[in-house]
Amino acid sequence: MTLHVTGEVLDTKRTGAYRHLTLVAPGVAERFRPGNFVAITLADSARLARRSYWIHQVRPVGGYGPALQLVVEPVGGGGSWLAGLPVGSKLELTGPLGRPFALPKEPVSCLLVGEDHSAAPLFPLAERLRERGCAVTLLVAGRDEAHLLSALEARRSARAVTVVTADGSVGQRGRVADVIAETLGRARAEVVYAAGRHDTLHAVAAAAEDHGAWSQTAVELPQPCATGLCHGCALPVVGEDGVARTVRACTEGPVVRGDRVRWGELA
């Protein structure tokens, strides 16, 4: 069940290139599953479209109960506004939204691949997978150290962690595409979860298919309403029947099977 509520900023702190926000949003945190997101209404009436953010974590806060944690990159009108909100600010948000990651029924080996702030939904997913007895390996990537999300937390969340940065400031120098095949083989992963840029997700989905693994990709697209009404987040896919069609990323996604996305048609 999706709720529209008035939230409140309980805490805000800068971590690298990002701002981590803790929000109380009555009822939303209790319904959260990894892969869900929230849509935030901007206070500026000149910007009608909402902004969507992955739910990074749900943690209890004394006196408030479970609270949402979001990772915000302070770029653009929406990101800069949200990142600049002081503690105590009120904001309108809708959530939880979107289809979450599907969890395996049996304990299997899983590889989680996250890039920049898009890695946010993978950390609660790692917790759920470990609770089910799955062996979790993480591959986290960023443009540089400042854009690498929660590298220390990653080491607490997984059996093994590979870190890649484009400038080589932390871990291996390179991109996900450069190391995904080797990492997949080393992890002996049967299921792969990924969140990041479209070209990265494409590379992960292709590598998973080559290794006989099943992939789920969290595809980010602009979502003007985030509730399925405006059809403004068309995601090109191939259906179970093999017929090409489009689905709404906000309601039929954003998590979809990697081998079903027509990656070449995404900008």
Side-chain angles (χ1 to χ4, degrees), residues 3-261:
L3 302 176
H4 181 76
V5 301
T6 299
E8 179 181 346
V9 178
L10 298 181
D11 188 36
T12 174
K13 63 180 180 181
R14 180 178 176 180
T15 303
Y18 307 119
R19 180 70 65 173
H20 286 225
L21 268 65
T22 301
L23 308 173
V24 60
V28 177
E30 290 84 347
R31 293 167 171 78
F32 161 74
R33 295 169 63 191
N36 285 150
F37 63 93
V38 293
I40 294 178
T41 303
L42 303 189
D44 184 353
S45 60
R47 298 184 176 91
L48 298 179
R50 295 167 173 165
R51 298 294 189 274
S52 299
Y53 291 91
W54 298 114
I55 298 174
H56 178 42
Q57 296 282 12
V58 171
R59 294 283 187 258
V61 174
Y64 293 95
L68 305 176
Q69 294 181 0
L70 309 182
V71 179
V72 179
E73 186 171 20
V75 297
S80 298
W81 171 78
L82 187 57
L85 289 179
V87 171
S89 299
K90 302 293 179 62
L91 72 173
E92 300 299 313
L93 66 86
T94 304
L97 292 164
R99 293 181 59 186
F101 292 108
L103 301 177
K105 295 180 180 178
E106 304 291 336
V108 296
S109 181
C110 300
L111 173 62
L112 280 57
V113 183
E115 180 180 47
D116 293 336
H117 66 280
S118 297
L122 299 182
F123 292 89
L125 174 64
E127 292 182 9
R128 299 292 176 88
L129 291 170
R130 287 191 293 113
E131 289 170 359
R132 288 173 172 250
C134 295
V136 175
T137 298
L138 267 168
L139 169 55
V140 290
R143 282 164 274 179
D144 49 35
E145 184 176 8
H147 291 87
L148 196 64
L149 184 64
S150 304
L152 291 177
E153 185 178 346
R155 299 189 189 284
R156 292 193 292 266
S157 302
R159 178 183 61 178
V161 179
T162 297
V163 176
V164 178
T165 50
D167 67 350
S169 52
V170 181
Q172 301 181 47
R173 180 191 296 273
R175 303 176 305 161
V176 168
D178 300 326
V179 300
I180 181 61
E182 177 187 349
T183 309
L184 255 169
R186 194 165 55 241
R188 299 180 179 178
E190 299 172 68
V191 182
V192 182
Y193 301 91
R197 297 198 310 267
H198 295 166
D199 59 338
T200 297
L201 298 182
H202 189 185
V204 171
E209 191 165 2
D210 289 344
H211 281 74
W214 186 58
S215 68
Q216 295 184 54
T217 52
V219 184
E220 294 185 33
L221 289 172
Q223 299 170 349
C225 78
T227 60
L229 294 176
C230 74
H231 292 254
C233 55
L235 174 60
V237 300
V238 177
E240 295 284 349
D241 54 6
V243 176
R245 54 172 59 91
T246 59
V247 298
R248 294 165 295 181
C250 66
T251 52
E252 285 85 34
V255 176
V256 293
R257 280 177 48 177
D259 62 333
R260 295 295 185 189
V261 179

